[in-house]
Amino acid sequence: MSQDIKSVAVIGGGTMGSGIAAACAAAGCDVLILEANEGFAAAAKGRVEALAADDAEKALFRDKVAVGTMDKDVGRLSACDWICEAVIESLPAKKAVLAAIEPVRRDGSIVSTNTSGIPLSAIVAGEPERLRRDMLVTHFFNPVRVMRLLEIVTGPETRADARDKLGAFLRGGLKKGLVTAKDTPNFIGNRIGLYFILSGLHLGAKHRAAGTSIDRIDALLGAPVGFPGTALYGLVDLIGLDVVSSIAENLARTLPAGDAGRATASLPAAEAAMLARGQLGRKSGGGFYRMQKAADGAKLKEVFDPEAGSWGPSTKIKLDGASAALETVFFADDADGALVRDVLGGTLLYAADLVPQISDDIVNVDRAMRWGFAWAKGPFELIDRIGAQRLIDWLVRAGRPLPHMLAVLQKAGASRFYDGDRYLGTDGAMYPVPAE
């Protein structure tokens, strides 16, 4: 089936669109990028060539990638097997593209929208039945050629054949790790990942006030947990406070009533002040961390104190004893344990309450977080590592309700979400883990 996609059109040649085009050209497809004008089209061509791994691939891209404009070249879409819309994250802009391409595309061609959070239902609302049957979401993660995760979202009318053909190409041709998400706010990866970030920022302010430094918070949410070294504050610096704030605003508008994420769908006061003065992260020269040059030329890492509004030397934290391992720090009766339970524990409980709302199974959730956020283990794998029954006992002692999937596990009499090559389904039965 991966050979069914031989010609691809990408509408919009920005960062995401050029990445998608480069990946498809590297897989041997003929690629057409359509832009708003000739200047944008030429820039898109340059961005694609800049993504080439070597001179041979650059030559391949010159041969395989053509560019044009929507006004002059939209008719060329009739020759394309897959049309990927990758314009700005704006519903009116995406609807305008669909209105332009639908009259010219051929029967059976597949259309996808690259969006990180606009519901597919909103994008296809009022569109012709032919388009609704041929359309789905392909949420690529940036940078496209590096990130393995690709979330696919289908609608109730999407043809199974369209989903299967495109999925086979994305998996076999582009070597992507596919997860099937439901048409819910921010899908899987960003729904859970941004909960970790936003709730972590709010909880982090509480723990900073109690004496835990930013350096120590990031140390605890790094190696012991199996998260990348960027942990929490370093990750925000990488993404940018402006982007985090924008996603938070979207979550505040779209999360369902009663969702735990609504309570933290905004920046805390100190972080909002950083955003207001342009202290965004790496892109602005510093956020929570920055690199300075000493008089002798050595690089010095500094950390920002949001409450004091001042910079100081960053300290490399060496964790030992109970704090060095997740299994022990999670239940430790000290400040380190409280921090890990609050931030990581809250995120795991949130994820456990979202299945089957955002995904039909736990496997898609775990893979989304491993492939999209570089977690060593996904939420349900982490619960198994902590000890699902210990977590349940802790919640019961605290008088807290069990999230949905922990309640399923308890009712099924199971001790783990994964047992070898099987996983716990939402009905309490064990199923074979599907191939990646």
Side-chain angles (χ1 to χ4, degrees):
M1 271 193 181
S2 63
Q3 299 305 309
D4 291 338
I5 306 294
K6 297 178 181 178
S7 56
V8 177
V10 180
I11 314 299
T15 300
M16 293 298 292
S18 59
I20 295 166
C24 292
C29 293
D30 294 315
V31 180
L32 171 66
I33 302 175
L34 294 186
E35 263 290 3
N37 58 52
E38 291 180 357
F40 287 170
K45 179 82 169 180
R47 275 190 288 270
V48 172
E49 291 185 6
L51 293 172
D54 50 34
D55 288 343
E57 194 168 75
K58 186 172 288 189
L60 175 68
F61 288 177
R62 291 195 188 106
D63 178 57
K64 288 289 186 180
V65 180
V67 298
T69 67
M70 287 293 288
D71 285 345
K72 295 180 180 178
D73 301 292
V74 71
R76 296 167 66 182
L77 298 179
S78 61
C80 297
D81 301 318
W82 170 34
I83 302 169
C84 179
E85 170 272 302
V87 300
I88 60 172
E89 220 33 11
S90 158
L91 182 58
K94 293 179 181 297
K95 297 287 276 186
V97 169
L98 296 183
I101 70 176
E102 181 58 15
V104 300
R105 72 180 185 92
R106 63 175 176 78
D107 285 340
S109 62
I110 301 168
V111 181
S112 76
T113 176
N114 185 69
T115 174
S116 61
I118 299 177
L120 178 62
S121 59
I123 294 173
V124 301
E127 300 295 337
E129 179 185 2
R130 184 179 82 139
L131 181 60
R132 297 197 306 271
R133 287 174 49 78
D134 290 340
M135 190 159 183
L136 62 158
V137 168
T138 47
H139 178 209
F140 288 83
F141 276 59
N142 191 44
V144 173
R145 299 203 68 191
V146 175
M147 299 297 289
R148 186 179 180 190
L149 178 62
L150 199 163
E151 295 178 324
I152 284 190
V153 181
T154 57
E157 297 178 77
T158 305
R159 291 185 293 116
D161 187 50
R163 176 201 64 209
D164 293 345
K165 283 184 178 179
L166 184 57
F169 170 71
L170 296 170
R171 184 180 286 110
L174 301 194
K175 309 303 180 187
K176 291 297 180 182
L178 266 58
V179 301
T180 303
K182 292 189 175 180
D183 197 17
T184 54
N186 287 77
F187 312 131
I188 298 174
N190 283 343
R191 179 75 170 271
I192 297 171
L194 266 295
Y195 182 87
F196 165 72
I197 290 171
L198 288 166
S199 66
L201 290 178
H202 283 269
L203 291 164
K206 179 186 80 170
H207 286 275
R208 293 198 308 263
T212 304
S213 69
I214 282 179
D215 281 322
R216 191 166 189 88
I217 290 172
D218 271 355
L220 288 163
L221 296 175
V225 175
F227 286 4
T230 49
L232 172 62
Y233 294 105
L235 178 59
V236 174
D237 275 359
L238 179 62
I239 297 170
L241 266 176
D242 53 340
V243 175
V244 172
S245 179
S246 176
I247 297 173
E249 291 172 2
N250 179 61
L251 288 169
R253 291 192 302 268
T254 59
L255 286 175
D259 189 276
R262 296 188 69 86
T264 56
S266 63
L267 293 182
E271 282 78 4
M274 291 169 62
L275 173 63
R277 61 176 173 265
Q279 189 174 331
L280 308 179
R282 295 186 187 182
K283 69 178 78 175
S284 67
F288 292 102
Y289 299 100
R290 71 180 182 186
M291 298 301 296
Q292 296 288 85
K293 187 175 289 187
D296 62 358
K299 289 184 177 180
L300 299 176
K301 186 177 182 180
E302 294 186 331
V303 62
F304 185 69
D305 182 333
E307 284 68 39
S310 60
W311 291 91
S314 175
T315 304
K316 188 172 181 60
I317 304 295
K318 179 175 175 56
L319 298 173
D320 52 24
S323 297
L326 175 61
E327 297 86 343
T328 50
V329 71
F330 194 90
F331 296 104
D333 187 20
D334 58 16
D336 287 355
L339 181 280
V340 173
R341 284 192 298 276
D342 277 355
V343 180
L344 176 66
T347 302
L348 300 184
L349 297 177
Y350 183 65
D353 220 19
L354 288 178
V355 177
Q357 181 189 149
I358 65 172
S359 172
D360 283 328
D361 60 63
I362 65 172
V363 177
N364 279 294
V365 173
D366 281 343
R367 288 176 177 174
M369 300 315 297
R370 285 194 279 111
W371 296 342
F373 283 79
W375 291 13
K377 293 182 180 295
F380 296 94
E381 295 166 320
L382 282 170
I383 292 174
D384 279 355
R385 182 179 165 190
I386 292 166
Q389 191 57 54
R390 290 185 74 191
L391 184 57
I392 289 172
D393 292 344
W394 174 71
L395 289 169
V396 170
R397 286 195 303 271
R400 298 175 60 178
L402 296 186
H404 180 71
M405 284 307 297
L406 278 173
V408 169
L409 182 141
Q410 184 182 55
K411 184 177 180 180
S415 61
R416 301 176 58 83
F417 283 108
Y418 291 92
D419 182 9
D421 58 358
R422 300 186 305 157
Y423 72 94
L424 184 74
T426 56
D427 59 356
M430 300 298 291
Y431 295 92
V433 174
E436 295 186 355

